[in-house]
């Protein structure tokens, strides 16, 4: 009997008390709350750091206060002075960007003005720019977002040139708008990765297996090296975990050496080739160099407080929260750009960064969405769910890229 009581006592000791279970549960809850608080603080600090990063870079311009940061500010609705041109009146508007033409009814995206906090962005003056470009070449080099900006610039100057004194010419990878009276050209050169790749055809460039020659740029660069103003971008086409690199030529692919290289290392390799070419071949007394930071995408509505699974489709207002940071751009890739530009600067070649990332991140409603020309037939399934074929990458015109060009204008006019 005593032995049985002893066994029961031992069992009772092994079974946790209700108070013990409650205490353990409370400790677990406290631990989870602590983890949540730490994670929230970390995310907030990370977003604040990203905001500071996206709104910096060398931004001092002669004639403006040295404290003026053109990239930190807010969007102000202004239907008196904007848009700077009308979509229907731009002679060379692209159907990919003509959102009003293709059925968009809410046109407020055309009326937002970028207002830096500590100064005013110089008002765009098409005649003043053309005078600055007299007998010169302004060349945009990059992907379809740089072409988006090129179309914007053409539309910005189009209205002050009479029809008989302007032409546009497409020749393979290069598109040339010419203001005859000024002997000035505003050009776009298709080179989505800057270095050579199997996506270099200006029309047939969507390939399942992207291959890049990170050490080859001369076939592109010979078209734009002697320009007076060069505006580069490259980001969109690098958005993958790794890229296949070819050491060899596309003419004899079987003789080449192939290797998959991860991001951002392969991006860095390409930019170093680009930088080396500039250092050797660009006339520093003639050519002004610019690099556009990343144009953010708006694919995830939950990032700005929308419904998870939605995107830019049906958005009609910008993000108003200052310091908002989405996930449509990559800080680690921009750090690569910073590093490469910094190295160039130490060797006496300055490339001015135009930081469009943060200001564009607010503009979730500025994309074409479904309001554009569709090059492929839209299926019935897609028609039932428009978000699935919405373009949340490029930008309606008039719109956000006009401000990119206003920033560029401010630098060109003051350089």
């Amino acid at each position: 009997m005593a032995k049985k009581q002893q066994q029961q006592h031992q069992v009772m000791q092994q079974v946790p008390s209700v108070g013990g279970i409650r205490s353990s549960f409370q400790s677990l809850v406290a631990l989870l709350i602590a983890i949540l608080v730490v994670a929230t603080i970390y995310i907030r600090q990370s977003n604040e750091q990203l905001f500071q990063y996206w709104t910096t870079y060398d931004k001092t311009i002669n004639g403006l206060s040295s404290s003026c940061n053109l990239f930190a500010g807010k969007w102000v609705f202004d239907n008196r002075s904007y848009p700077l041109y009308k979509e229907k009146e731009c002679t060379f508007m692209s159907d990919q960007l003509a959102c009003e033409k293709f059925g968009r009814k809410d046109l407020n995206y055309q009326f937002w003005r970028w207002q830096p906090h500590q100064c005013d962005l110089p008002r765009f003056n098409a005649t003043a720019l053309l005078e600055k470009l007299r007998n010169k070449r302004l060349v945009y080099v990059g992907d379809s977002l740089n072409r988006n900006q090129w179309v914007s610039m053409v539309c910005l100057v189009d209205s002050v040139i009479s029809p008989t004194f302007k032409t546009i010419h497409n020749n393979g990878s290069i598109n040339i708008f010419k203001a005859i009276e000024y002997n000035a050209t505003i050009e776009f050169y298709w080179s989505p990765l800057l270095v050579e790749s199997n996506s270099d055809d200006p029309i047939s460039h969507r390939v399942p297996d992207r291959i890049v020659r990170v050490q080859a740029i001369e076939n592109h660069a010979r078209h734009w090296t002697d320009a007076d103003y060069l505006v580069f971008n490259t980001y969109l086409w690098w958005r993958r975990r790794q890229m296949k690199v070819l050491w060899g030529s596309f003419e004899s692919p079987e003789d080449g050496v192939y290797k998959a290289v991860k991001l951002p290392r392969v991006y860095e390799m390409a930019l170093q080739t680009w930088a080396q070419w500039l250092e050797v071949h660009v006339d520093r007394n003639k050519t002004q160099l610019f690099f556009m930071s990343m144009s953010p995408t708006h694919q995830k509505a939950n990032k700005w407080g929308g419904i998870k699974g939605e995107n830019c489709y049906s958005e009609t207002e910008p993000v108003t929260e200052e310091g908002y940071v989405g996930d449509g751009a990559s800080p680690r890739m921009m750090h690569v750009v910073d590093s490469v530009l910094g190295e160039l600067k130490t060797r006496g070649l300055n490339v001015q960064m135009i930081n469009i990332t943060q200001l564009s991140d607010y503009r979730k409603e500025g994309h074409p969405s479904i309001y554009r020309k569709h090059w492929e037939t839209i299926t019935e399934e897609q028609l039932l769910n428009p978000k699935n074929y919405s373009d949340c990458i490029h930008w309606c015109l008039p719109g956000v890229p006009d401000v990119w060009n206003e920033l560029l204008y401010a630098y060109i006019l003051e350089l």
Side-chain angles (χ1 to χ4, degrees):
M1 182 70 177
K3 185 176 182 181
K4 185 174 181 180
Q5 289 177 340
Q6 184 178 7
Q7 289 175 340
Q8 290 176 341
H9 178 68
Q10 290 174 344
V11 170
M12 291 294 291
Q13 285 182 323
Q14 293 172 1
V15 176
S17 66
V18 173
I21 294 174
R22 184 179 295 114
S23 177
S24 298
F25 177 74
Q26 290 174 341
S27 298
L28 179 60
V29 170
L31 178 61
L32 290 173
I33 291 174
I35 292 172
L36 181 61
V37 170
V38 171
T40 301
I41 293 173
Y42 175 79
I43 292 171
R44 183 180 295 118
Q45 289 177 339
S46 297
N47 283 348
E48 289 174 354
Q49 290 172 355
L50 280 175
F51 173 67
Q52 293 297 324
Y53 179 74
W54 290 137
T55 55
T56 55
Y57 298 113
D58 178 18
K59 61 271 184 181
T60 304
I61 299 181
N62 297 330
L64 294 177
S65 168
S66 61
S67 64
C68 176
N69 183 347
L70 293 176
F71 311 127
K74 62 181 180 180
W75 289 95
V76 177
F77 188 78
D78 181 358
N79 59 0
R80 291 187 176 184
S81 54
Y82 282 75
L84 297 175
Y85 57 89
K86 294 182 179 179
E87 178 193 297
K88 295 178 181 178
E89 295 176 1
C90 178
T91 312
F92 306 108
M93 175 60 69
S94 166
D95 280 350
Q96 186 182 13
L97 314 170
C99 303
E100 183 179 0
K101 175 181 177 180
F102 285 90
R104 183 163 179 173
K105 301 301 182 185
D106 64 291
L107 302 180
N108 283 349
Y109 67 89
Q110 300 182 3
F111 302 117
W112 291 94
R113 171 173 54 83
W114 178 246
Q115 178 61 59
H117 288 315
Q118 299 164 320
C119 57
D120 292 323
L121 187 61
R123 174 79 175 174
F124 187 90
N125 184 316
T127 303
L129 178 65
L130 288 168
E131 283 292 350
K132 190 76 172 181
L133 295 181
R134 187 179 290 276
N135 301 317
K136 295 179 180 178
R137 296 176 67 200
L138 165 61
V139 184
Y140 294 84
V141 180
D143 59 25
S144 56
L145 285 160
N146 237 21
R147 181 169 56 209
N148 203 159
Q149 188 177 355
W150 170 73
V151 174
S152 160
M153 183 61 91
V154 170
C155 290
L156 283 166
V157 302
D158 180 52
S159 63
V160 300
I161 308 171
S162 64
T164 56
F165 286 94
K166 56 190 173 187
T167 62
I168 198 161
H169 177 64
N170 302 324
N171 184 16
S173 295
I174 195 162
N175 301 274
I176 303 172
F177 170 85
K178 186 170 185 177
I180 299 171
E181 184 180 359
Y182 296 88
N183 190 33
T185 61
I186 302 173
E187 308 172 31
F188 168 73
Y189 184 86
W190 171 260
S191 181
L193 298 143
L194 292 187
V195 292
E196 295 172 28
S197 74
N198 63 343
S199 296
D200 287 343
D201 189 292
I203 298 179
S204 302
H205 45 249
R206 298 197 175 277
V207 293
D209 189 17
R210 193 165 298 158
I211 302 171
V212 61
R213 296 181 65 207
V214 291
Q215 295 180 319
I217 196 172
E218 55 272 12
N219 283 341
H220 294 320
R222 60 190 177 88
H223 294 282
W224 41 255
T225 300
D226 66 343
D228 299 276
Y229 301 97
L230 279 168
V231 184
F232 297 97
N233 91 316
T234 185
Y235 163 60
L236 186 65
W237 287 65
W238 294 95
R239 296 190 311 165
R240 50 185 61 200
R241 297 177 65 88
Q242 62 183 24
M243 193 86 74
K244 184 181 288 187
V245 177
L246 166 63
W247 283 269
S249 71
F250 290 116
E251 288 72 25
S252 303
E254 67 282 354
D255 298 328
V257 175
Y258 296 84
K259 183 175 177 60
V261 182
K262 293 183 178 180
L263 269 295
R265 176 57 183 143
V266 65
Y267 186 62
E268 181 182 25
M269 293 165 69
L271 285 183
Q272 286 174 340
T273 296
W274 165 79
Q276 289 164 8
W277 179 273
L278 293 179
E279 184 182 4
V280 173
H281 295 277
V282 163
D283 183 346
R284 302 172 194 221
N285 297 319
K286 173 187 177 183
T287 304
Q288 300 292 338
L289 303 168
F290 301 91
F291 195 99
M292 308 302 296
S293 72
M294 298 172 182
S295 171
T297 62
H298 291 92
Q299 307 283 11
K300 299 178 181 178
N302 60 298
K303 293 297 181 180
W304 58 80
I307 300 172
K308 188 174 183 179
E310 299 295 318
N311 55 22
C312 72
Y313 174 68
S314 78
E315 293 289 341
T316 59
E317 297 290 333
V319 174
T320 56
E321 175 195 353
E322 184 172 2
Y324 163 78
V325 176
D327 66 347
S330 170
R332 68 174 187 159
M333 289 180 70
M334 282 313 302
H335 280 302
V336 171
V337 177
D338 279 347
S339 177
V340 172
L341 299 193
E343 291 174 6
L344 275 175
K345 195 167 187 176
T346 62
R347 297 198 291 270
L349 188 63
N350 183 55
V351 181
Q352 176 63 53
M353 175 74 77
I354 305 292
N355 188 356
I356 62 171
T357 306
Q358 182 65 47
L359 65 90
S360 304
D361 217 355
Y362 296 125
R363 295 298 305 276
K364 58 183 172 61
E365 91 302 352
H367 301 283
S369 181
I370 63 172
Y371 303 106
R372 57 191 170 88
K373 181 174 181 177
H374 298 282
W375 307 104
E376 306 87 15
T377 302
I378 305 301
T379 65
E380 290 186 12
E381 183 180 356
Q382 286 176 315
L383 289 172
L384 293 173
N385 196 356
K387 69 180 182 183
N388 288 342
Y389 66 98
S390 290
D391 180 353
C392 299
I393 296 174
H394 302 95
W395 302 90
C396 295
L397 292 180
V400 174
D402 300 329
V403 172
W404 303 351
N405 280 321
E406 287 184 275
L407 290 165
L408 179 64
Y409 167 85
Y411 281 97
I412 290 178
L413 264 288
E414 296 295 339
L415 287 171

